Amino acid sequence: MIGLISATAAGAAARDRLAAAWPDRTRVYDGPVGDAVRRAFAECEQLVCFLATGAVVRLVAPLLSDKASDPGVVCVDEAGRFAVSLVGGHGGGANELAVSVGGLLGAEPVVTTATDAVGVPGLDTLGLPVEGDVAGVTRALLDGEPVALDAETAWPLPALPFAAQARTPGMPAVRLTDRAVEPADGEVLVRPPSLVVGVGASRGVPVDEVLDLVRGALRDAGLSPRSLAELATVDAKREEPGIVEAAARLAVPLVTYPAEELTTVEVPNPSDAPLAAVGTPSVAEASALARGGELLVPKRKSARADGHASMATCAVVRRPARGRLAVVGLGPGARDLLTPRATAELRRAAVLVGLDQYVDQIRDLLRPGTRILESGLGAEEERARTAVEEARRGQAVALIGSGDAGVYAMASPALAEASDDIDVVGVPGVTAALAAGAILGAPLGHDHVSISLSDLHTPWEVIERRVRAAAEADLVVTFYNPRSRGRDWQLPKALSILAGHRQPATPVGVVRNASRPDGTSRLTTLAELDPAWVDMMTVVTVGNTATRAVAGRMVTPRGYRWQETAVEEVR
């Protein structure tokens, strides 16, 4: 919950705008400002104070205890010009909150955290547990000193400016490990969630028996409990109180699998007892290995001090790192049409793959240390394969394309290459058709279709059949890739097909470089369109029989009222 505190009418007005925008996330604190701040500080995860920073500093200073637990505090000035991240920039999320508040109120976010200021992600913002000299190693990164990355296991981290050379004595380092080791001087341990513990148990197993077994197995194997990702078991035990409570105390999810699925998992120690009880010869080992991985601790039984028979078994597996592939649509080119989600994915990536001219558009958004793999026109499938291969190596990868990545762009070839051994995230973008439509007016107000006129990958006979179908169905048609130096006859042919079903005065919009500074647009008709106006940077939108030019804008009504009115007038 975000507590909102104000002292003046101007502050209250901005406060109320924020409360209206986030009704489920905010709570307004009225009354004397000092009391309001103290109550909000105790009850909320974050605060937005519409007060002077000096006043907020004096009010919250006596309340501060630890940056890991203190709420994030953002200040907004009386004029609503700035949203200042004051306290808890990373741990309390104040930096991100300042950006969000600024976006809603039209205020400039002010973030002074050193790592954010220079674009280096803070080691404590990776979303993974960290131990050791976080401040010292972060300072070395900020100062440009060589910092080594010692990755004992692959994991998709964002870009960090690590040294390329091997670690030398005294060099600061980030060590990615799930082993139970202590950080050395000048070292930060980053704990990936790489360990899965499979648990089998008899009905009524005590929670302490499960916890002692799991913790003992990790300890004896020299593994860190901070890298525990989940407990796993068979579906029949999904509501077993001892297992459910153990997962809760360990603060990890409980994942369960059907018995018939676990029977297909090869294990070294099958048993008749679980087969008779729950229908699978293995629970602990099979559930731990259900999604693959390396068996680090084979099945072991709990030991009971009272001499009674063991009621629990467990096994520990190091699961394979899953790389992350974000397929990102950059939009039509204008920076303000690049979505915040796309920007976040670009800054999360350690590896960027893309067409060289698209890389140039967003190079300034990448974090220091991002590895860039760029290539020229015509290498789409190669880029897709490269991105998937990098993700399979456990990297965090962004594969970029213009417009929306799923529309005549990189999502299709990438997903054709990707299997279920990596995580794939689609990031939508504003398409060229949408950007051109907004410039032209509202040409896509009714049913519409996009058709690429490039026959490099699709036979012309197929393209022509689709154009005819769109013409007969009276759909608004947007042509992508309409004309190039080597393909100058396809657009006239497609227009002639449409002309067989539409009047010569049918509006046609021609937009080149939609949304970019050198963009141009013109509204013409089917009869007057000159194909020489068109190139590969152009989108051509042809209206249907109801589309009209209204005040210089291309408009397709949501219904056919205009068409019906025209028929009535003829009658």
Side-chain angles (χ1 to χ4, degrees):
M1 186 62 67
I2 303 171
L4 306 180
I5 301 100
S6 62
T8 67
R15 175 203 68 192
D16 292 344
R17 286 173 57 195
L18 204 60
W22 295 338
D24 298 326
R25 298 176 56 192
T26 57
R27 180 185 302 157
V28 173
Y29 284 80
D30 293 316
V33 171
D35 292 341
V37 168
R38 283 187 288 272
R39 285 187 288 122
F41 198 93
E43 297 171 2
C44 297
E45 292 80 21
Q46 295 173 322
L47 280 70
V48 178
C49 300
F50 297 86
L51 304 165
T53 54
V56 179
V57 167
R58 293 186 179 89
L59 289 170
V60 303
L63 309 176
L64 298 174
S65 59
D66 181 81
K67 70 176 185 178
S69 58
D70 289 335
V73 180
V74 170
C75 291
V76 179
D77 64 292
E78 285 290 294
R81 297 171 301 169
F82 303 104
V84 182
S85 173
L86 186 66
V87 172
H90 286 165
N95 291 350
E96 292 182 3
L97 181 60
V99 173
S100 299
V101 169
L104 280 171
L105 300 181
E108 180 72 22
V110 179
V111 176
T112 58
T113 308
T115 50
D116 294 87
V118 300
V120 175
L123 297 175
D124 55 352
T125 67
L126 299 178
L128 303 175
V130 294
E131 306 167 29
D133 188 10
V134 175
V137 174
T138 299
R139 185 166 53 251
L141 286 170
L142 293 172
D143 290 343
E145 298 178 16
V147 176
L149 173 63
D150 182 4
E152 296 180 2
T153 181
W155 209 262
L157 296 177
L160 284 165
F162 293 118
Q165 68 268 30
R167 185 181 184 183
T168 58
M171 180 185 291
V174 172
R175 185 176 177 187
L176 189 68
T177 181
D178 58 17
R179 304 185 67 80
V181 294
E182 293 296 321
D185 291 341
E187 183 178 64
V188 171
L189 302 181
V190 178
R191 302 296 191 183
S194 55
L195 304 177
V196 177
V197 174
V199 177
S202 302
R203 181 179 299 175
V205 62
V207 61
D208 288 338
E209 183 171 346
V210 177
L211 287 172
D212 290 345
L213 175 63
V214 171
R215 289 167 175 161
L218 294 173
R219 181 184 61 250
D220 294 347
L223 299 170
S224 171
R226 301 194 75 185
S227 281
L228 181 58
E230 61 191 41
L231 293 189
T233 190
V234 67
D235 278 352
K237 297 296 179 180
R238 69 166 63 243
E239 296 181 356
E240 182 64 45
I243 297 178
V244 172
E245 179 62 21
R249 292 195 196 178
L250 292 167
V252 296
L254 177 62
V255 178
T256 66
Y257 299 96
E260 55 269 23
E261 181 176 342
L262 296 184
T263 61
T264 65
V265 179
E266 293 188 12
V267 297
N269 301 293
S271 172
D272 292 335
L275 179 62
V278 294
T280 173
S282 172
V283 173
E285 290 178 340
S287 60
L289 287 165
R291 293 295 177 261
E294 176 188 4
L295 183 63
L296 302 179
V297 179
K299 182 178 70 174
R300 61 187 287 175
K301 295 181 179 181
S302 57
R304 297 186 55 147
D306 59 9
H308 287 83
S310 167
M311 296 184 70
T313 60
C314 82
V316 183
V317 164
R318 177 180 289 129
R319 65 181 182 179
R322 291 180 63 85
R324 189 175 191 276
L325 173 60
V327 188
V328 181
L330 300 180
R335 179 57 61 86
D336 61 350
L337 292 182
L338 178 69
T339 67
R341 186 179 300 179
T343 300
E345 288 294 345
L346 294 175
R347 296 181 66 76
R348 178 172 179 167
V351 180
L352 181 86
V353 182
L355 179 68
D356 47 14
Q357 64 189 56
Y358 297 152
V359 172
D360 289 341
Q361 292 178 21
I362 48 83
R363 197 182 296 271
D364 63 301
L365 297 177
L366 305 177
R367 291 192 186 277
T370 303
R371 185 155 55 95
I372 300 174
L373 305 176
E374 54 187 318
S375 53
L377 288 168
E380 288 84 1
E381 293 181 357
E382 178 185 345
R383 285 194 291 274
R385 284 193 295 270
T386 297
V388 171
E389 288 168 1
E390 291 290 334
R392 285 185 176 136
R393 295 189 183 106
Q395 297 284 349
V397 183
L399 174 62
I400 60 174
S402 66
D404 180 274
V407 179
Y408 302 123
M410 294 306 302
S412 179
L415 269 61
E417 292 285 338
S419 51
D420 63 358
D421 57 346
I422 62 174
D423 295 324
V424 178
V425 179
V427 182
V430 178
T431 66
L434 293 176
I439 292 169
L440 293 169
L444 308 182
H446 207 294
D447 297 337
H448 53 274
V449 63
S450 295
I451 299 176
S452 171
L453 294 184
S454 172
D455 54 2
L456 295 178
H457 299 287
T458 305
W460 175 254
E461 294 76 12
V462 174
I463 296 172
E464 184 172 330
R465 187 165 65 248
R466 292 171 179 172
V467 175
R468 291 188 185 280
E472 294 170 0
D474 198 27
L475 298 174
V476 175
V477 182
T478 297
F479 288 124
Y480 279 72
N481 306 312
R483 184 174 180 269
S484 67
R485 292 178 182 177
R487 296 185 300 99
D488 59 359
W489 59 268
Q490 286 89 342
L491 177 60
K493 177 62 175 178
L495 294 173
S496 69
I497 294 172
L498 292 175
H501 298 266
R502 300 181 193 180
Q503 296 297 318
T506 298
V508 177
V510 180
V511 180
R512 188 178 188 278
N513 283 337
S515 84
R516 300 184 186 184
D518 60 344
T520 61
S521 68
R522 68 175 81 198
L523 180 59
T524 183
T525 66
L526 192 55
E528 296 174 349
L529 172 63
D530 184 353
W533 300 338
V534 177
D535 62 11
M536 286 291 286
M537 306 302 294
T538 306
V539 170
V540 178
T541 301
V542 182
N544 65 13
T545 56
T547 305
R548 296 290 183 268
V550 181
R553 303 180 185 92
M554 187 175 176
V555 181
T556 301
R558 293 183 62 185
Y560 280 79
R561 175 180 56 81
W562 290 358
Q563 193 174 37
E564 292 168 357
T565 301
V567 171
E568 289 297 327
E569 290 175 352
V570 170
R571 290 177 181 174

